[in-house]
Amino acid sequence: MPYGVKVLFDDPRVGKLFKDSTTQAILIKPVTVDFFGKEGIQIQRTQIPLMPSWAVTIHKSQGMTVSNVVINLGPKCNKPGQAYVALSRVQSLRGLALTEFTEKSIKVSRKMSFQTVSDLKNLSSSDEKAIITKPIKVKIIVDPVYHHDDNPTTPNVIVMSIVADDSGTIKCHISNEKDIVKKFFQKNTSIVILKCTITTCDEELASIEHQHAIKHLPCSNIQLETKLTLPLLPSFPTIKFTPIAEALKLPRKRQISIEGKITKIEPPIKVKNNSIDLKKVFLKDTTGMMQVSLWKDKASLPLSQGDVISFTGLQTSMFQNKPMASSTTQTQVN
């Protein structure tokens, strides 16, 4: 085992305190480590703490994930997106070291490349489900159909419509917060879908299942052909809301859906030996007011006085001779 190995680093800032004054090299000495093997056998290993290291270009590093990396972001890093590719290879800031950095090395492209509807259809024909990360710029050409999300824990709605660009039309399903969807997803609005899943839903048409975000664009950004063959949209079941005045007259255990404005909310309480949460909400429409008892997980819904909401899947009930409605496992709030 040699006494040590002298290493001359390209960067003069490395190991300033340990450099040889004559050669400017750093002496790396052997390190001995004791550890125990099987059956308690003591093992001693002595080695020089050096390991091979490799360099790659930023282009070559695309797709790599590393724990530690040294990056040069000097003047030669001058292409849009290069700095992003380099910096995103490492898993944490702890494993990142920069040997050189200039602000001009951070560049982005002002030209955004988009997928076309035709591209999506061709892709869906070869794969039943594919995640698309390249943005899609389309125009909504059919009045959207809204439906509440089947997941009662999310305040989302599902919207279905037909979107199009110059290459064709495609069905689009988006599940997102109600306020966001209804603000951006309207007929004759242009949007950019930043991430989605393409699913083959029938022989003629693929479907965009929205996953990430939509961005509003001026309608003039997309010019469409005047003649487009539009597929038919399946209709969601229409929800029939019962006026509160009629709901108060119904017998017990009838399924109802009501809508109105929250006029009062009582603080949640524990009932049945402190095992079940209960929150009482008072809902008012133009015909009357009704107490809605929200049980278990429904009691934690973020409701506020003054909210205009709708309840579906409630059940009529009676307490102290007063008619009211109670939540069930099928209850949803929109």
Side-chain angles (χ1 to χ4, degrees):
M1 177 67 64
Y3 174 76
V5 175
K6 288 187 176 182
V7 179
L8 183 62
F9 290 91
D10 294 333
D11 190 338
R13 295 171 293 179
V14 176
K16 285 184 178 180
L17 300 178
F18 307 98
K19 287 184 178 180
D20 183 282
S21 59
T22 304
T23 63
Q24 296 298 307
I26 299 174
L27 179 64
I28 308 296
K29 296 181 179 180
V31 174
T32 300
V33 178
D34 295 324
F35 59 95
F36 293 91
K38 293 182 179 180
E39 300 178 359
I41 299 175
Q42 186 174 358
I43 301 174
Q44 188 177 79
R45 174 186 289 167
T46 301
Q47 59 185 9
I48 296 175
L50 291 174
M51 61 185 298
S53 181
W54 294 269
V56 296
T57 63
I58 294 176
H59 290 86
K60 186 71 173 180
S61 71
Q62 293 190 69
M64 295 174 57
T65 301
V66 295
S67 300
N68 300 282
V69 65
V70 179
I71 302 175
N72 185 324
L73 294 181
K76 291 185 178 180
C77 180
N78 54 18
K79 302 296 182 184
Q82 265 191 312
Y84 167 77
V85 172
L87 294 170
S88 60
R89 298 311 94 200
V90 68
Q91 295 174 315
S92 67
L93 287 176
R94 186 184 296 272
L96 173 64
L98 297 178
T99 61
E100 189 175 359
F101 175 79
T102 60
E103 292 185 2
K104 292 183 178 180
S105 66
I106 308 296
K107 291 186 176 182
V108 297
S109 175
R110 297 189 180 276
K111 294 182 179 180
M112 183 178 288
S113 177
F114 294 95
Q115 288 268 26
T116 66
V117 169
S118 178
D119 294 335
L120 301 182
K121 289 185 178 181
N122 293 335
L123 179 62
S124 65
S125 63
S126 60
D127 192 351
E128 291 185 358
K129 197 167 189 178
I131 296 177
I132 306 299
T133 56
K134 195 173 181 180
I136 309 153
K137 182 166 64 173
V138 289
K139 186 173 183 178
I140 302 165
I141 56 177
V142 173
D143 285 322
V145 179
Y146 297 96
H147 182 55
H148 60 272
D149 199 321
D150 291 333
N151 185 352
T153 63
T154 63
N156 290 2
V157 294
I158 301 172
V159 60
M160 179 185 291
S161 186
I162 303 295
V163 297
D165 60 11
D166 290 333
S167 66
T169 62
I170 193 170
K171 291 179 183 176
C172 184
H173 304 253
I174 287 183
S175 174
N176 208 321
E177 294 182 18
K178 178 167 59 176
D179 293 341
I180 295 176
V181 170
K182 291 195 174 182
K183 179 179 179 181
F184 292 111
F185 213 79
Q186 300 176 7
K187 185 179 179 181
N188 294 325
T189 299
S190 298
I191 60 172
V192 172
I193 302 176
L194 302 181
K195 185 177 180 181
C196 64
T197 300
I198 302 301
T199 305
T200 302
C201 57
D202 53 49
E203 294 182 356
E204 297 181 353
L205 202 63
S207 171
I208 299 176
E209 295 180 1
H210 162 73
Q211 283 190 337
H212 187 59
I214 58 176
K215 181 180 179 182
H216 175 266
L217 290 175
C219 294
S220 59
N221 280 15
I222 301 178
Q223 301 297 326
L224 297 177
E225 298 174 1
T226 55
K227 294 182 179 180
L228 290 172
T229 304
L230 302 182
L232 294 176
L233 278 177
S235 59
F236 289 118
T238 302
I239 299 174
K240 183 179 180 181
F241 291 101
T242 303
I244 288 180
E246 294 183 16
L248 292 170
K249 299 176 183 179
L250 294 175
R252 296 171 64 249
K253 296 186 177 181
R254 291 289 181 91
Q255 294 289 328
I256 60 170
S257 297
I258 58 176
E259 59 182 351
K261 183 178 181 179
I262 297 178
T263 59
K264 180 182 176 182
I265 300 178
E266 294 187 358
I269 59 174
K270 293 279 188 179
V271 296
K272 297 185 178 180
N273 297 324
N274 291 326
S275 61
I276 300 178
D277 292 322
L278 169 64
K279 179 191 288 184
K280 296 179 182 179
V281 175
F282 293 85
L283 197 69
K284 183 179 181 180
D285 67 5
T286 56
T287 66
M289 184 169 64
M290 190 176 200
Q291 175 184 317
V292 179
S293 297
L294 301 177
W295 297 88
K296 299 181 180 179
D297 58 316
K298 303 297 187 299
S300 61
L301 290 172
L303 303 177
S304 302
Q305 185 173 330
D307 287 349
V308 177
I309 62 172
S310 62
F311 289 100
T312 60
L314 293 176
Q315 182 174 274
T316 56
S317 58
M318 188 78 69
F319 182 70
Q320 295 180 348
N321 294 324
K322 293 182 180 180
M324 62 185 63
S326 298
S327 65
T328 66
T329 55
Q330 286 78 38
T331 297
Q332 295 189 20
V333 182
N334 291 305

